[in-house]
């Protein structure tokens, strides 16, 4: 059975965007502590970033500065600054390509196609690419062995041999066209009318994303994801979508923990200063009483 490539899109305001880009960093050196990440596979991740940045987050900050220089004002808190595309690939097809061409070779070839996807979105819609984060370290661990009919217990197997990978890529875009000086996302939200004058069931712009991905990855054996009103399927399985939401909540929890730790540290320092001030005051008072 031929594999598929599906495209899921999300957009975020600045605060949420920073947390999302921390999670998607291919190096996994941010705040994320997602249970869905399998650390033994993180070395397989690969990323590419624009504007000579070292991460999508760094490229995002650079674009925010460029936006301020271009418009004369900062990004508003309610501005959907980040437009994220998640490309999901069938694991069976991808694994077959790895066996046929080698892991590194196919990874680099796919990365080049992902960069072409980013450039095509820029060309057709005006979004500014920030980075490409290709993930191989998320998925599910098989806990049963069908031959034994019980818990997976073969200690001779590699610790990663029983993992079903969720192979996907996060492509981050800044929601501003610097040549036309507009935020393209607002215009994409309009579904438009069909030939009969009725509102389209699907937004043709978002359908086009699927077309672009299907064209770019067809030679590798991945066919275009089927649109919802044709197949009745969601772009992501419900379990994957829930996990994605849980990941974002976990990131927010970690961010709040760090903030709480910083506040506690600040309170501790102020308390110590207050104690020293009181001690100095008492010492001064004692010296004054003695001098009388």
């Amino acid at each position: 059975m031929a594999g598929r490539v599906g495209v899921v899109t999300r957009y975020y305001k600045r605060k949420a965007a920073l947390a999302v880009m921390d999670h998607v960093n291919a190096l996994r050196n941010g705040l994320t502590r997602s249970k869905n990440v399998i650390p033994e596979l993180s070395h397989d991740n690969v990323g590419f970033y624009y504007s000579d940045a070292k991460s999508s987050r760094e490229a995002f900050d650079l674009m925010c500065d460029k936006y301020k220089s271009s418009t004369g004002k900062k990004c508003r808190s309610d501005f959907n600054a980040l437009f994220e595309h998640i490309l999901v690939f069938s694991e069976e097809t991808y694994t077959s390509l790895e066996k046929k061409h080698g892991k590194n070779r196919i990874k680099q070839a796919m990365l080049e196609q992902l960069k072409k996807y980013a450039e095509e979105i820029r060309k057709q819609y005006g979004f500014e690419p920030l980075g490409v984060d290709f993930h191989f370290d998320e998925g599910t661990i098989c806990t049963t062995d069908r031959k034994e009919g019980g818990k997976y217990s073969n200690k001779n197997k590699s610790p990663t041999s029983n993992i079903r990978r969720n192979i996907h890529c996060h492509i981050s875009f800044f929601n501003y066209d610097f040549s036309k000086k507009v935020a393209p996302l607002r215009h994409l939200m309009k579904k438009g009318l069909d030939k009969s004058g009725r509102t389209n069931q699907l937004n043709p712009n978002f359908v086009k994303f699927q077309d672009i991905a299907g064209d770019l990855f067809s030679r590798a054996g991945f066919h275009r994801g089927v649109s919802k009103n044709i197949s009745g399927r969601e772009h992501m399985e419900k379990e994957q979508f829930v996990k994605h939401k849980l990941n974002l909540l976990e990131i927010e929890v970690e961010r709040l923990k760090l903030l709480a730790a910083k506040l506690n540290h600040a309170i501790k320092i102020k308390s110590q200063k207050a104690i020293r001030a009181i001690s100095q005051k008492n010492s001064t008072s004692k010296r004054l009483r003695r001098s009388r």
Side-chain angles (χ1 to χ4, degrees):
M1 182 178 179
R4 293 193 179 278
V5 53
V7 181
V8 184
T9 58
R10 301 279 186 269
Y11 48 89
Y12 303 93
K13 296 175 176 58
R14 178 180 173 82
K15 185 177 179 181
L18 297 179
V20 168
M21 285 184 289
D22 181 89
H23 167 70
V24 305
N25 191 319
L27 298 178
R28 296 301 191 192
N29 57 356
L31 298 175
T32 184
R33 297 292 184 272
S34 171
K35 295 178 181 178
N36 205 32
V37 172
I38 303 166
E40 293 86 353
L41 297 180
S42 292
H43 67 276
D44 287 331
N45 293 349
V46 64
F48 174 83
Y49 310 105
Y50 295 81
S51 305
D52 293 324
K54 296 181 180 178
S55 67
S56 294
R57 164 66 187 273
E58 184 179 334
F60 180 81
D61 290 337
L62 291 172
M63 288 302 103
C64 285
D65 292 340
K66 185 176 179 180
Y67 178 89
K68 183 178 179 181
S69 299
S70 177
T71 64
K73 52 189 177 182
K74 294 182 179 180
C75 293
R76 292 171 43 172
S77 60
D78 61 347
F79 174 55
N80 289 311
L82 177 67
F83 189 35
E84 180 189 46
H85 291 212
I86 306 172
L87 276 68
V88 184
F89 299 93
S90 299
E91 202 263 354
E92 294 85 353
T93 302
Y94 195 94
T95 298
S96 177
L97 289 170
E98 287 179 321
K99 292 178 180 178
K100 183 177 180 180
H101 302 287
K103 288 181 65 174
N104 290 331
R105 184 180 176 187
I106 193 62
K107 183 193 300 184
Q108 291 303 317
M110 291 287 285
L111 181 61
E112 290 303 313
Q113 292 301 98
L114 289 164
K115 288 158 64 175
K116 288 182 180 179
Y117 177 90
E119 291 298 335
E120 194 64 28
I121 297 300
R122 189 215 304 251
K123 178 182 176 182
Q124 294 195 31
Y125 299 97
F127 294 101
E128 193 70 30
L130 301 174
V132 176
D133 289 280
F134 204 5
H135 290 178
F136 297 85
D137 63 348
E138 294 183 44
T140 56
I141 300 176
C142 302
T143 57
T144 59
D145 189 327
R146 292 183 180 179
K147 291 183 179 180
E148 296 181 5
K151 290 186 177 181
Y152 179 82
S153 60
N154 191 338
K155 297 181 180 180
N156 294 323
K157 285 190 176 182
S158 165
T160 61
S161 63
N162 59 327
I163 294 172
R164 182 178 179 80
R165 297 172 298 171
N166 173 21
I167 299 172
H168 63 282
C169 178
H170 298 258
I171 303 181
S172 304
F173 297 92
F174 188 72
N175 179 26
Y176 195 72
D177 185 333
F178 288 97
S179 61
K180 296 181 180 179
K181 298 188 181 302
V182 295
L185 186 58
R186 179 183 301 176
H187 303 288
L188 288 189
M189 295 304 180
K190 298 177 181 179
K191 289 186 176 181
L193 303 177
D194 60 20
K195 294 181 180 179
S196 63
R198 297 181 179 180
T199 301
N200 289 310
Q201 290 186 24
L202 286 180
N203 188 316
N205 296 304
F206 290 83
V207 171
K208 182 65 175 177
F209 299 153
Q210 294 276 12
D211 293 337
I212 294 171
D215 290 341
L216 285 171
F217 294 96
S218 60
R219 290 184 61 185
F222 295 98
H223 294 275
R224 179 196 186 284
V226 182
S227 300
K228 182 178 178 180
N229 67 334
I230 296 175
S231 69
R233 296 180 182 177
E234 296 291 343
H235 288 301
M236 298 173 72
E237 294 294 336
K238 184 176 180 181
E239 181 181 1
Q240 288 179 300
F241 179 75
V242 171
K243 285 181 178 179
H244 179 72
K245 289 295 184 182
L246 288 175
N247 287 342
L248 294 182
L249 289 174
E250 289 172 1
I251 292 168
E252 181 64 9
V253 169
E254 292 296 329
R255 188 187 70 80
L256 292 174
K257 283 182 180 179
L258 286 176
L259 179 60
K262 289 180 180 179
L263 291 174
N264 288 333
H265 182 65
I267 292 172
K268 184 177 180 181
I269 291 176
K270 289 185 178 181
S271 297
Q272 291 173 346
K273 288 182 178 179
I275 292 172
R276 285 197 296 269
I278 293 172
S279 178
Q280 290 175 357
K281 179 183 176 182
N282 292 337
S283 297
T284 302
S285 298
K286 288 181 181 179
R287 285 198 301 269
L288 289 173
R289 285 196 296 268
R290 289 173 185 172
S291 64
R292 290 174 182 175

